[in-house]
């Protein structure tokens, strides 16, 4: 057990830093195990009184400290494990420190570390303090100039801003000098040094400035960067058109690295990406990879305004940059790939990750009020629910007023570190609407439950809608207030004709009643169209109403939703021991009708064909969940569909095959998605004809999307087909790390009963590297999060496996270890015998000596 009790940081305790750091000069002398960093900070006292200067600094070996060139004597400063304190300083001075650090030994992948022989940095949120002593907080903006000195074997020396000088030094060393004209917080600092290939292009901004674009990748990987480069140019153009935002430097660089704790990082002018979110070609990347690359390249680029030019005053305001930037990247993807399909995918992700978080022990508001480790708050709530709040703001205000509010925000707060209040104030001002109630969306955790019932008076042609809302208590918030919830509602006739267009009803009380006159026939309600608010909706709709929506709702999101709800109810009924076989047949029949609709796009049909996922079903079951029963019930519906629609699925599988050249376009990807969804469904009925077809699909595949689309069904079928396919895949791709990640991940999602033994055996595979977060997540997180029937093995072996992994990884990478805790944290949601075993593992972790603050915070919250 840890002997110290870490103290939480609280929003209410925010105080401005009492000094300004006007300029920051950094000199790096790079060496893998002993890098020297000299920092010259031009400091001016801005606060009252005589506050001491307290700088953050961790794991630094301090070599010297001077003020205005005078070395400080030992009694003029103090150093502890986390700070350098100078009790007395002049009002204006230059503080120079020199420290030594060890990037090679840094496996936490935060601060300055090495990946594949290259130096790189990750500073958000608090990594800069492991590079040098500094006020490492987002509200201290400074102008940086950086000098990097290194061996000639590291030809590219990169940092933020513009390159102003470079040249050789004595011996085999060289240097580069960078100046970033824009003041920035320390978390946006970046440095990369290494042997890299570069792909170059340019972009002319709306005011006619030419910006050089450069993407740096591992030698030999340049051709895999072209899709990211194309995505970047489209994102730059889109941000000009949709938000009036123009890029500000003359150079924009992206670097891909293999060892990275998460997706990517928006450092000013020098984004650093996990290579899995940058490198793609048809042979090695799936359509889902292409789609993610496009979205994440855009996301990091959009941060240049929402995050960099305007940043957060403190980390409690994280959603100010993340929620808004997710909203911007989702809007971009909708324009690139089709609004409906994008919305369905976004909502699926929201429900799977954020609704699960909101329903468990780690539920927190979009703007939290306290934390132990800010790393733990890069959550689906801050990101995805943060984006939903912005989406609702746009729905409530209308597109024009929303844009005006954004324009004001960009103009008023440019160059500042600001707050969510300041952001909302811009919309209040430009729209004239009082948004004080709306602010509760940021402060209140939990997913609201909305119920909608209706009464139809045929004689009066009046429809009465009764809406209610409630939010269950969440940790630290026992009582909840009503939120303003925009509920978009339209009406259809029983025959599927549109009776009334979408209207947004703002439910802003616990309960309200709305009367709609002139409704000439008994309507079918299509509610929460486009998923107009992040809530759980319950209605009194009958299955027959849902079938009307499933076949005819002009709101395609709700058409998809109706199908999901029908399937969900059938699966939950069977899992509860009350199968509705007639209902299952009827569903399969209706699904078949939807799949032959000529007007619908293949990408949409692929989504219709995907049943609710097992983790989603767990969340939706009213009783404590039995993952195995849910898995079997879901499988039963899959088998019924595969049999009932066998001919149609085989026909579509054939028709969707493309023989031409690969295109990453949304349209071509949609056809591949539908073909793969058919293959997946057919694997539920693995008779010889289907098996031959699936083996043929796999063996004939010429791109990674088709290959994975063929491999996973074979893994599900198991036996010889699985072994043969997996070993062929390994032999082909053993030298390609990103593809090998897929090989690990697909095996962790194997639904066969022996999978845990296989996963444990894979941790001993020579290619399993726990220090690489991609590889670790591919095997361990994918198993714990996406294979619930096997992770929740009644013996508790799955839980023990995960807990062992958490303890192992926590020793060197606390941030990534903490991300593995969540599947155990949901113990209350499961049958009591399973829940008890999950809790037992959390308790085992909690008493472990030297646990990191990251893991400690999540485990403690999960047990409370
Ligand atoms: N801002 C980074 C996330 C940093 C996570 C630090 N633990 C990437 C992004 O959201 O764009
Ligand atoms: Zn972001």
């Amino acid at each position: 057990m840890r002997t110290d009790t870490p103290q939480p940081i609280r929003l209410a305790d925010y105080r401005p830093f009492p000094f300004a750091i006007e300029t920051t000069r950094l000199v790096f002398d790079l060496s893998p195990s002993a890098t020297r960093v000299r920092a010259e900070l031009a400091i001016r006292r801005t606060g009252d009184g005589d506050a001491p200067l307290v700088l953050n600094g961790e794991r630094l070996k301090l070599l010297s400290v001077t003020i205005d060139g005078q070395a400080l004597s030992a009694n003029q400063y103090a150093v502890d494990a986390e700070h350098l304190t100078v009790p007395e300083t002049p009002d204006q001075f230059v503080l120079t420190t020199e420290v030594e650090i060890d990037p090679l030994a840094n496996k936490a992948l935060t601060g300055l570390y090495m990946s594949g022989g290259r130096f790189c940095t990750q500073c958000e949120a608090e990594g800069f303090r492991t590079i040098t002593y500094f006020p490492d907080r987002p509200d201290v903006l400074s102008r940086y100039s950086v000098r990097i000195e290194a061996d000639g074997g590291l030809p590219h020396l990169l940092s933020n801003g513009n390159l102003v000088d470079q040249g050789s030094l004595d011996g085999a060393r060289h240097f580069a000098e960078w100046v970033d004209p824009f003041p920035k917080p320390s978390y946006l600092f970046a440095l990369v040094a290494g042997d890299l290939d570069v792909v170059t292009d340019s972009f002319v901004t709306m005011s006619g400035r030419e910006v050089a674009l450069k993407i740096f990748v591992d030698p030999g990987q340049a051709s895999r960067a072209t899709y990211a480069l194309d995505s970047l140019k489209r994102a730059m153009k889109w941000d000009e058109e949709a938000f009036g935002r123009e890029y500000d430097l003359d150079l924009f660089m992206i670097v891909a690295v293999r060892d990275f704790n998460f997706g990517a990082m928006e450092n000013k002018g020098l984004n650093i990406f996990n290579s899995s979110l940058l490198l793609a070609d048809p042979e090695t990347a799936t359509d889902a990879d292409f789609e993610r690359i496009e979205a994440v390249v855009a996301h990091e680029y959009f941060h240049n305004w929402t995050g960099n030019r305007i940043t957060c005053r403190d980390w409690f305001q994280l959603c100010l940059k993340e929620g808004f930037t997710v909203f911007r990247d989702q809007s971009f993807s909708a324009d690139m790939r089709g609004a409906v399909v994008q919305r369905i995918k976004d909502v699926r992700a929201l429900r799977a990750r954020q609704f699960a978080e909101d329903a468990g022990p780690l539920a927190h508001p979009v703007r939290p009020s306290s934390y132990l480790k800010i790393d733990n708050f890069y959550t689906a709530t801050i990101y995805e629910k943060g984006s939903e709040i912005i989406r609702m703001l746009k729905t409530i205000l209308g597109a024009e007023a929303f844009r005006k509010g954004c324009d004001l925000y960009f103009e008023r707060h440019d160059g500042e570190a600001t707050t969510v209040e300041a952001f909302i104030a811009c919309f209040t001002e430009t729209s004239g609407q009082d948004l004080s109630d709306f602010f509760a969306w940021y402060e209140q955790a939990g997913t609201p439950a909305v119920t909608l019932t209706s009464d139809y008076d045929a004689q009066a042609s009046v429809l009465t809608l009764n809406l209610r809302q409630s939010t269950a208590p969440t940790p630290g918030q026992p009582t909840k207030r009503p939120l303003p919830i925009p509920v978009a509602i339209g009406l259809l006739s029983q025959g599927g004709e549109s009776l009334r267009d979408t209207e947004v009803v703002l439910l802003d009380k616990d309960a309200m009643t709305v009367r709609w006159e002139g409704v000439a026939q008994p309507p079918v309600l299509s509610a929460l169209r486009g998923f107009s608010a992040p809530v759980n909706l319950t209605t009194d709709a009958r299955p027959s109403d849902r079938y009307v929506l499933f076949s005819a709702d002009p709101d395609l999101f709700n058409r998809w939703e109706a199908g999901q709800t029908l399937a969900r109810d059938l699966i939950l009924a069977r899992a509860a021991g009350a199968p509705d076989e007639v209902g299952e047949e009827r569903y399969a029949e209706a699904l078949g009708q939807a799949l032959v609709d000529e007007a619908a796009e293949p990408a949409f049909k692929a989504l219709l064909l995907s049943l609710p996922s097992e983790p989603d079903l767990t969340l939706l079951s009213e009783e404590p969940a039995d993952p195995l029963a849910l898995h079997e019930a879901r499988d039963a519906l899959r088998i019924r569909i595969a049999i009932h629609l066998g001919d149609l699925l085989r026909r579509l599988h054939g028709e969707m095959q493309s023989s031409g050249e690969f295109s990453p376009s949304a349209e071509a990807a949609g056809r591949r998605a539908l073909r793969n969804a058919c293959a997946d469904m057919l694997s539920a009925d693995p008779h010889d004809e289907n098996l031959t077809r699936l083996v043929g699909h796999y063996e004939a595949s010429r791109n990674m999307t088709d290959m994975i689309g063929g491999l996973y069904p074979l893994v599900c079928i198991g036996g010889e087909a699985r072994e043969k396919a997996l070993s062929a895949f390994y032999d082909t791709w053993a030298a390609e790390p990103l593809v090998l990640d897929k090989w690990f991940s697909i095996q962790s999602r194997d639904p066969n009963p022996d999978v845990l033994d296989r996963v444990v055996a894979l941790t001993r595979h020579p290619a399993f590297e726990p220090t690489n977060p991609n590889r670790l997540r591919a095997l361990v997180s994918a198993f714990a999060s996406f294979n619930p029937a096997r992770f929740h093995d009644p013996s508790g072996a799955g839980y023990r496996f995960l807990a062992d992994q958490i303890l192992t990884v926590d020793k060197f990478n606390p941030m990534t270890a903490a991300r593995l805790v969540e599947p155990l944290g949901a113990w209350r949601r499961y049958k009591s015998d399973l829940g008890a075993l999950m809790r037992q593992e959390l308790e085992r972790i909690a008493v472990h000596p030297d646990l990191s603050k990251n893991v400690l915070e999540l485990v403690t919250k999960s047990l409370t």
Side-chain angles (χ1 to χ4, degrees), residues 697-725:
H697 175 134
Y698 176 66
E699 290 181 351
S701 55
R702 294 287 165 268
N703 60 67
M704 190 48 67
T705 306
D706 290 349
M707 191 168 277
I708 294 289
L711 181 58
Y712 188 61
L714 296 178
V715 167
C716 294
I717 291 169
E720 203 192 318
R722 169 181 68 184
E723 303 312 319
K724 229 177 120 192

Side-chain angles (χ1 to χ4, degrees), residues 547 550-551 566 585-595 644-645:
Y547 279 108
F550 190 31
S551 64
L566 286 163
E585 283 292 321
R586 184 177 178 196
Y587 175 75
E589 183 60 29
L591 181 60
Q593 296 296 327
L595 292 176
H644 192 101
L645 299 180

Side-chain angles (χ1 to χ4, degrees), residues 299-358:
H299 178 102
E300 305 311 332
Y301 172 73
F302 296 156
H303 267 314
N304 192 53
W305 273 95
T306 47
N308 301 5
R309 289 283 288 249
I310 308 180
T311 192
C312 304
R313 186 194 72 174
D314 53 73
W315 290 122
F316 296 101
Q317 321 294 330
L318 183 57
C319 66
L320 178 68
K321 75 180 180 78
E322 295 305 347
F324 194 10
T325 305
V326 171
F327 174 73
R328 278 150 54 68
D329 85 55
Q330 290 177 342
S331 308
F332 168 74
S333 295
D335 284 352
M336 295 298 119
R337 291 181 175 258
V340 171
V341 166
Q342 183 62 32
R343 186 66 183 139
I344 292 172
K345 290 179 179 175
D346 290 342
V347 172
R348 272 207 317 206
L350 177 80
R351 282 178 169 150
R353 298 179 49 229
Q354 200 280 322
F355 280 23
E357 193 164 81
D358 244 352

Side-chain angles (χ1 to χ4, degrees), residues 124-125 262 264-266 299-300 303 321-322 378 383 815:
E124 189 177 357
F262 42 95
M265 179 64 212
E266 70 264 23
H299 178 102
E300 305 311 332
H303 267 314
K321 75 180 180 78
E322 295 305 347
Y378 287 78
Y383 277 64
M815 205 187 283

Side-chain angles (χ1 to χ4, degrees), residues 667-780:
E667 202 267 318
R671 292 175 62 86
R672 286 188 288 271
L674 179 55
R675 180 162 179 267
N676 286 342
C678 291
D680 182 71
M681 201 55 91
L682 288 169
S683 72
D685 180 26
H687 55 65
D688 284 354
E689 185 193 351
N690 282 351
L691 183 59
T692 310
R693 178 178 284 269
L694 293 171
V695 171
H697 175 134
Y698 176 66
E699 290 181 351
S701 55
R702 294 287 165 268
N703 60 67
M704 190 48 67
T705 306
D706 290 349
M707 191 168 277
I708 294 289
L711 181 58
Y712 188 61
L714 296 178
V715 167
C716 294
I717 291 169
E720 203 192 318
R722 169 181 68 184
E723 303 312 319
K724 229 177 120 192
L726 282 172
S727 95
F729 192 95
Y730 182 80
D731 292 345
T732 313
W733 299 112
E736 292 284 356
L738 293 174
V739 188
L740 215 49
D741 290 339
K742 298 183 196 305
W743 183 77
F744 276 96
S745 162
I746 222 163
Q747 295 185 79
S748 72
R749 292 187 292 117
D750 181 341
N752 291 292
D754 63 344
V755 64
L756 179 57
D757 292 343
R758 298 167 69 94
V759 168
V760 172
L762 282 168
T763 61
R764 294 190 286 270
H765 191 282
F768 181 69
E769 309 165 73
T771 50
N772 176 259
N774 291 4
R775 190 59 50 86
L776 183 80
R777 281 194 284 264
L779 188 65
V780 179

Side-chain angles (χ1 to χ4, degrees), residues 575 614 618 625-635 751 753 788-790 792-794 830-831 834:
E614 291 175 35
T618 303
D626 177 349
L628 192 56
L630 289 171
H631 171 75
E632 286 169 353
R634 184 177 184 275
D635 242 18
R790 304 305 166 200
H792 295 277
D793 188 273
Y830 294 90
K831 288 196 309 181
L834 297 177

Side-chain angles (χ1 to χ4, degrees), residues 825-841:
W827 59 275
R828 283 189 187 80
R829 209 178 296 143
Y830 294 90
K831 288 196 309 181
S832 58
D833 48 343
L834 297 177
L837 290 166
M838 294 167 84
R839 205 186 144 90
Q840 198 174 307
E841 292 305 319

